[in-house]
């Protein structure tokens, strides 16, 4: 079972990396880009585990280590 | 239209950040974690654009700037 944790900055938190990418994309000829937000994706290989256990474990890992709850929100998806 | 580009290291490329997270998770009491891979997710707000145009634009942005084709692979998803 694989759990995929996606961590994004909360709305309203300034994202300088996203701003830099947006500026670079404008310079590269993509004027349609209005806003860019950058986050992390963490793929966790959890071995033989029931889906609900994998979901709970990944949720706990995100709360304890993978996301900073002050500035970031996260989402857990399960795969294969 | 929003395009979401997910960039991961190619299989076989060493991921030291993922290894560090795996070790930290073991120390935090999650022994089930077998492997961890870390990637980036870039959310692009593209304004009013047809889905096939947004897909093509995000693909071009990923090839030109967002991903390093030597070490990384990417995937484009469309949302809202």
């Amino acid at each position: 079972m694989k759990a995929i944790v996606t961590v994004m900055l909360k709305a309203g938190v300034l994202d300088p990396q996203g701003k830099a990418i947006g500026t670079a994309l404008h310079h590269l000829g993509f004027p349609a880009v209005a806003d860019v937000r950058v986050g992390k994706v963490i793929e966790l290989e959890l071995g033989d585990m029931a889906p609900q256990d994998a979901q709970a474990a990944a949720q706990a890992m995100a709360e304890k280590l993978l996301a900073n709850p002050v500035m970031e929100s996260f989402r857990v998806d399960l795969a294969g």
Side-chain angles (χ1 to χ4, degrees), chain A:
Chain A
M1 179 62 63
K2 188 187 275 191
I4 297 162
V5 180
T6 306
V7 181
M8 300 295 295
L9 287 169
K10 285 182 178 169
V13 177
L14 190 69
D15 182 353
Q17 194 183 4
K19 284 269 176 278
I21 289 174
T23 306
L25 287 173
H26 287 172
H27 287 305
L28 282 171
F30 299 103
V33 180
D35 191 39
V36 183
R37 306 283 289 173
V38 180
K40 287 173 289 186
V41 54
I42 301 125
E43 291 189 1
L44 303 157
E45 188 51 69
L46 295 174
D48 210 10
M49 196 180 265
Q52 65 270 33
D53 295 343
Q55 174 86 29
Q59 178 97 15
M61 291 179 215
E63 284 166 2
K64 281 197 182 174
L65 182 74
L66 304 176
N68 171 358
V70 177
M71 301 170 62
E72 295 171 329
S73 59
F74 67 88
R75 188 182 79 234
V76 176
D77 299 298
L78 298 179

